[in-house]
Amino acid sequence: DQQVKQNSPSLSVQEGRISILNCDYTNSMFDYFLWYKKYPAEGPTFLISISSIKDKNEDGRFTVFLNKSAKHLSLHIVPSQPGDSAVYFCAASGGWGGTSYGKLTFGQGTILTVHP
Amino acid sequence: DGGITQSPKYLFRKEGQNVTLSCEQNLNHDAMYWYRQDPGQGLRLIYYSQIVNDFQKGDIAEGYSVSREKKESFPLTVTSAQKNPTAFYLCASSTEGGIPYEQYFGPGTRLTVT
């Protein structure tokens, strides 16, 4: 049972354009969402997060949007740069006292390629 | 520099042998985690520990064992009972007091069992 899904295995965009990576979840107990970036043969690095009490969080070129009613979040990268080419994972965690508290459930990842 | 170290980066073992993967952190984090990544799949949680001398099974704990005798260390043993041990293994840590649920990852160990 895949509780966090990234349905697009890959995404290709031109440098300078917007990249939009999508993520859907099924567990309504999730209340904190994160995006990680991963290069081959390395560990993931934290990118940006959002609490369920917000619908948008912005950090420089990266913005995460959360639509709780649709159980959907997205990561926008504007403008995209070749150095952004990596695998992007979304992850979710539950609130205090829940079974998923302190644990992250990851999606399958989306390979982003930004062409110069 | 603070961080998480995993050693070795590449590990080769014969089928039927147990193997232990090392994970050390000097971030003073309370919680530590082990994940495995397979091609085309996300990270799946094997074991996690919120505090020294305590750990819980994750989603795919069968065939693995861990210990948490020190705050800084969380070794993972891949036993011969693990049916498909070849994978990329990632260790992570997090603090209860900082940004909630944000985990910091080590560089990973690629285990190949033949």
Side-chain angles (χ1 to χ4, degrees):
Chain A
D1 176 27
Q2 190 87 29
Q3 296 187 68
V4 178
K5 292 182 184 178
Q6 294 175 255
N7 291 317
S8 298
S10 62
L11 175 67
S12 182
V13 300
Q14 208 66 33
E15 181 178 7
R17 306 294 289 268
I18 184 171
S19 296
I20 300 176
L21 296 100
N22 294 303
C23 180
D24 296 296
Y25 62 96
T26 56
N27 188 341
S28 58
M29 298 303 290
F30 287 149
D31 73 345
Y32 202 78
F33 304 88
L34 305 89
W35 284 94
Y36 281 84
K37 176 180 179 180
K38 185 182 181 300
Y39 294 114
E42 292 184 11
T45 54
F46 170 73
L47 200 54
I48 192 169
S49 63
I50 187 166
S51 164
S52 60
I53 62 173
K54 295 184 175 182
D55 55 18
K56 177 182 174 182
N57 189 26
E58 198 171 344
D59 184 2
R61 296 186 297 114
F62 303 91
T63 303
V64 56
F65 295 92
L66 175 63
N67 182 334
K68 281 191 297 183
S69 61
K71 294 192 176 68
H72 176 83
L73 64 154
S74 61
L75 174 69
H76 293 209
I77 306 174
V78 183
S80 301
Q81 299 173 353
D84 295 328
S85 297
V87 180
Y88 288 78
F89 291 98
C90 67
S93 186
W96 173 261
T99 56
S100 58
Y101 174 73
K103 301 191 302 182
L104 290 179
T105 300
F106 284 84
Q108 310 95 308
T110 296
I111 302 170
L112 173 65
T113 305
V114 181
H115 299 283
Chain B
D1 282 317
I4 300 176
T5 56
Q6 292 185 244
S7 60
K9 193 164 180 66
Y10 299 96
L11 192 52
F12 298 88
R13 279 294 182 269
K14 295 287 186 186
E15 199 173 315
Q17 293 180 334
N18 291 356
V19 59
T20 298
L21 281 60
S22 165
C23 177
E24 304 277 333
Q25 55 99 359
N26 60 3
L27 300 166
N28 200 32
H29 285 172
D30 290 312
M32 296 186 75
Y33 310 80
W34 273 105
Y35 295 88
R36 70 176 273 169
Q37 186 190 11
D38 296 283
Q41 296 196 38
L43 282 66
R44 292 184 291 167
L45 183 65
I46 304 172
Y47 266 98
Y48 65 106
S49 168
Q50 303 276 30
I51 198 167
V52 174
N53 292 322
D54 187 45
F55 49 83
Q56 285 79 40
K57 292 181 179 180
D59 301 317
I60 54 166
E62 187 175 347
Y64 299 98
S65 66
V66 293
S67 62
R68 187 85 188 277
E69 296 174 3
K70 298 187 297 182
K71 187 175 185 178
E72 311 79 44
S73 178
F74 191 41
L76 173 75
T77 298
V78 184
T79 75
S80 56
Q82 167 50 233
K83 291 186 174 61
N84 297 298
T86 295
F88 188 53
Y89 289 88
L90 287 157
C91 178
S93 69
S94 69
T95 176
E96 291 294 289
I99 298 175
Y101 322 123
E102 179 184 330
Q103 294 179 13
Y104 295 83
F105 285 83
T109 291
R110 181 162 297 281
L111 173 64
T112 303
V113 176
T114 56

